[in-house]
Amino acid sequence: MNTAPQLLSHARYKECVEQCDKLLEINPTNQKAWLLKIRASTLQSCSLHPDIYEHELCEPPNTSLAPLSAGGNVRPGTSLRVSSQSGRTGIAPNQSAHAATDRSRLQTGYIRPMTAVSARSATSSGKPQTSAGMRPGTTSFMQQNAEGQLINVDGIDFKRLAQKPALSRAVFEYVFNSLGNTSKALELALAASSVANNKDWWWKLQISKCCLRLGDWREAKKQLENSLSDQEMLLSRLYLAKVYLQMDQPQKALKCYTVTEHLHPKSAAPLLAKARVCEELMDYEAASNIYKSILESDSSNIEAISALAASCFHNHQPEMAERHYRRLLHINGTETCEIWNNIGLCAFYSQQYDSALPCFERALELSKTDTDTADVWFNIAHVGISVGDFELARLALKLALAFNAKHGEAWNNLGILDILEDRNKVMARSHFRTCVESCPGVSEASYNLAKMDFLAGDVESAYRNAVAAKSRPSNARAVRLLDQISDMLL
């Protein structure tokens, strides 16, 4: 029996489940083995707090506790729904601000918890259909059904289960995180909290998590404040800030993170969360300063290094960005397509062409998806265009489109090559139109079409395409072209 706890502590969850199965074959009522199996299965399927940094600005259910909707005009920095950059400082890390002929796709190489793919939907109540009802402490409760689920939640007596604190916590985590059955998890949490006379901070935290997933944000805030009154905990503070973010109150969330930072100075979690909110508010200078302060106390923090690397790249400091990305290689110990792709981009913008292409080749070797492969080939084409090797650029762009036919930037750059090489302009126009149809967000293709129409004397078509290109505020050339066309029409 001592082997299973050791396997669990060493994060060898699959082996722990197998060991528990052997113990349950000998004694099906062994609750210690059953508890370890539930715990290992939960940790194996997902993290215990997969959505602590996630917040979706969606409308809550139509209940009396739902917050009122915000007005259309809000001050900058007070709402995450506002995408305006007025009043913000720093340069936005948005690679789309460059022209299609001199921009490349930069990937951070680090998947944050808020962007990681979760095994469940954040709003799913997930009611899996299982076999006959089971009760805690019985043989049927410990049997796994044909669907691979350890528990039939519809057959559990939660009042009876709540009398066993350790088992009830393990069952809650499995039902909430692995099965995603929020309603049943909330029922168990309420029963267990009632057994504890509403004095257990942990169960109040779990009730708030259920309310968050169900959209009852005010009740979640109430439960978290009660939990903090019983016991000061870092996790409760982080979830309280998340409630403010769900309610679109980022300034209150930032104040909550600041208080948490002072109460828990040894933890980097509130600083990381605070930096993420600053990035969403487009205050990139403040976010960079926070990441730097994190590295002062924890020089191996992966997210802080990755964020600073991306910030340096977009602030025209490719040498510093390359140093950060190479440090990620040493800290992680694993090579990824994203990191080598970013190192290649940094080397290219540092005019180290001899080292840029080998980095992209290594990224191609490590690529696991067609989308990543297409992006790397697009970057190689970008190198070819910049050094004047148009044959390499054309071949790389065709390979990018072979992996991703809807790669709008590749279609646009093919049209650019047709113009630079004095080829058929009809083919260039066709490539630009394909880019507009496959990727409407690439405003450079609309600008290129407007420019060709303007030079050909088709003012009406040029005006229409220039208006489409002007939809992106950063496209200043489209604005100037539109002014020229307006002057001609007047």
Side-chain angles (χ1 to χ4, degrees):
M1 186 65 201
N2 294 331
T3 306
Q6 293 178 359
L7 294 173
L8 181 64
S9 62
H10 293 162
R12 298 163 63 180
Y13 305 127
K14 184 177 180 180
E15 298 177 20
C16 179
V17 171
E18 295 175 353
Q19 183 66 23
C20 292
D21 288 336
K22 295 179 181 179
L23 295 173
L24 291 173
E25 290 178 1
I26 301 174
N27 182 11
T29 60
N30 188 337
Q31 292 195 8
K32 186 176 181 180
W34 172 239
L35 176 62
L36 288 173
K37 183 178 180 180
I38 295 179
R39 185 73 175 177
S41 300
T42 304
L43 295 173
Q44 184 180 7
S45 60
C46 61
S47 171
L48 293 182
H49 307 286
D51 56 353
I52 188 172
Y53 297 115
E54 298 175 0
H55 53 273
E56 300 177 357
L57 295 179
C58 55
E59 293 300 325
N62 187 15
T63 63
S64 59
L65 296 178
L68 299 176
S69 58
N73 298 323
V74 295
R75 291 182 299 170
T78 61
S79 174
L80 296 176
R81 292 188 176 92
V82 181
S83 58
S84 174
Q85 297 189 21
S86 60
R88 312 279 17 113
T89 57
I91 299 178
N94 184 3
Q95 63 269 29
S96 60
H98 305 282
T101 55
D102 59 13
R103 78 177 165 110
S104 299
R105 293 190 171 189
L106 179 68
Q107 301 166 340
T108 62
Y110 179 81
I111 300 178
R112 292 181 176 177
M114 64 184 302
T115 59
V117 178
S118 178
R120 53 154 184 82
S121 173
T123 58
S124 173
S125 59
K127 295 184 178 180
Q129 299 296 323
T130 58
S131 57
M134 306 177 187
R135 290 180 177 273
T138 63
T139 303
S140 60
F141 181 75
M142 301 178 186
Q143 291 176 347
Q144 183 169 326
N145 61 15
E147 298 180 2
Q149 298 169 356
L150 299 178
I151 303 173
N152 180 7
V153 293
D154 295 329
I156 299 178
D157 185 356
F158 290 121
K159 292 183 179 180
R160 180 180 175 185
L161 179 60
Q163 302 293 333
K164 303 175 182 179
L167 185 60
S168 60
R169 293 192 178 197
V171 171
F172 174 86
E173 291 174 347
Y174 180 78
V175 173
F176 183 81
N177 294 302
S178 296
L179 300 184
N181 196 330
T182 309
S183 58
K184 290 295 183 180
L186 178 59
E187 185 178 348
L188 174 57
L190 291 173
S193 180
S194 178
V195 171
N197 296 323
N198 296 322
K199 295 296 183 180
D200 192 328
W201 70 270
W202 192 87
W203 282 115
K204 292 181 180 180
L205 173 61
Q206 308 314 312
I207 294 174
S208 67
K209 289 166 60 177
C210 294
C211 293
L212 263 175
R213 189 180 293 181
L214 295 174
D216 197 347
W217 303 332
R218 294 185 181 180
E219 181 64 22
K221 178 176 176 290
K222 177 182 177 181
Q223 292 292 336
L224 286 169
E225 291 175 346
N226 291 337
S227 175
L228 289 170
S229 64
D230 295 334
Q231 179 69 39
E232 172 61 40
M233 295 298 295
L234 171 63
L235 196 58
S236 301
R237 291 282 179 184
L238 294 178
Y239 270 104
L240 180 59
K242 180 187 174 181
V243 171
Y244 289 129
L245 293 176
Q246 291 285 137
M247 300 171 68
D248 196 20
Q249 298 179 3
Q251 294 301 327
K252 286 189 176 181
L254 290 175
K255 291 180 181 179
C256 184
Y257 286 134
T258 302
V259 173
T260 308
E261 175 187 350
H262 293 301
L263 294 176
H264 304 275
K266 295 183 179 181
S267 175
L271 288 174
L272 289 173
K274 186 177 181 180
R276 294 190 189 104
V277 176
C278 289
E279 287 180 343
E280 293 193 43
L281 293 175
M282 301 180 185
D283 193 351
Y284 301 107
E285 182 178 352
S288 297
N289 293 333
I290 294 174
Y291 285 126
K292 291 177 182 178
S293 65
I294 294 174
L295 291 177
E296 291 178 359
S297 57
D298 182 9
S299 60
S300 61
N301 189 286
I302 295 177
E303 182 176 354
I305 296 174
S306 178
L308 281 178
S311 176
C312 291
F313 180 87
H314 293 293
N315 282 278
H316 311 292
Q317 297 175 334
E319 298 86 355
M320 291 297 299
E322 184 178 357
R323 289 181 58 184
H324 288 307
Y325 282 122
R326 290 193 178 275
R327 179 167 176 77
L328 279 180
L329 286 178
H330 295 297
I331 294 177
N332 268 338
T334 56
E335 298 176 301
T336 63
C337 170
E338 291 84 356
I339 292 181
W340 277 111
N341 176 67
N342 294 351
I343 293 176
L345 286 175
C346 294
F348 167 72
Y349 282 106
S350 301
Q351 298 183 354
Q352 302 174 17
Y353 305 120
D354 55 339
S355 60
L357 288 178
C359 293
F360 289 134
E361 292 175 359
R362 183 57 180 162
L364 288 174
E365 295 175 1
L366 298 172
S367 177
K368 297 180 180 179
T369 64
D370 291 345
T371 302
D372 291 341
T373 303
D375 287 343
V376 177
W377 278 117
F378 174 78
N379 292 336
I380 294 175
H382 177 55
V383 176
I385 293 176
S386 299
V387 300
D389 191 347
F390 294 155
E391 291 299 325
L392 171 64
R394 184 175 294 276
L395 177 60
L397 287 173
K398 289 182 178 180
L399 287 171
L401 291 172
F403 286 98
N404 183 8
K406 294 184 178 180
H407 201 297
E409 296 89 341
W411 286 112
N412 180 74
N413 283 10
L414 272 178
I416 293 294
L417 285 178
D418 291 333
I419 296 176
L420 292 177
E421 294 180 327
D422 294 329
R423 296 198 177 190
N424 190 355
K425 292 186 178 182
V426 177
M427 185 62 68
R429 185 185 298 274
S430 175
H431 289 151
F432 291 144
R433 292 193 181 280
T434 304
C435 174
V436 173
E437 294 173 359
S438 61
C439 189
V442 182
S443 62
E444 289 82 4
S446 299
Y447 169 79
N448 293 334
L449 284 173
K451 191 70 174 179
M452 293 182 68
D453 293 333
F454 181 76
L455 294 176
D458 190 352
V459 181
E460 182 179 355
S461 298
Y463 182 82
R464 183 171 58 254
N465 290 319
V467 170
K470 187 185 176 183
S471 60
R472 180 164 296 177
S474 60
N475 200 335
R477 294 180 301 176
V479 176
R480 291 194 295 268
L481 178 60
L482 190 61
D483 292 340
Q484 294 179 10
I485 297 174
S486 300
D487 293 340
M488 292 181 59
L489 295 176
L490 293 177

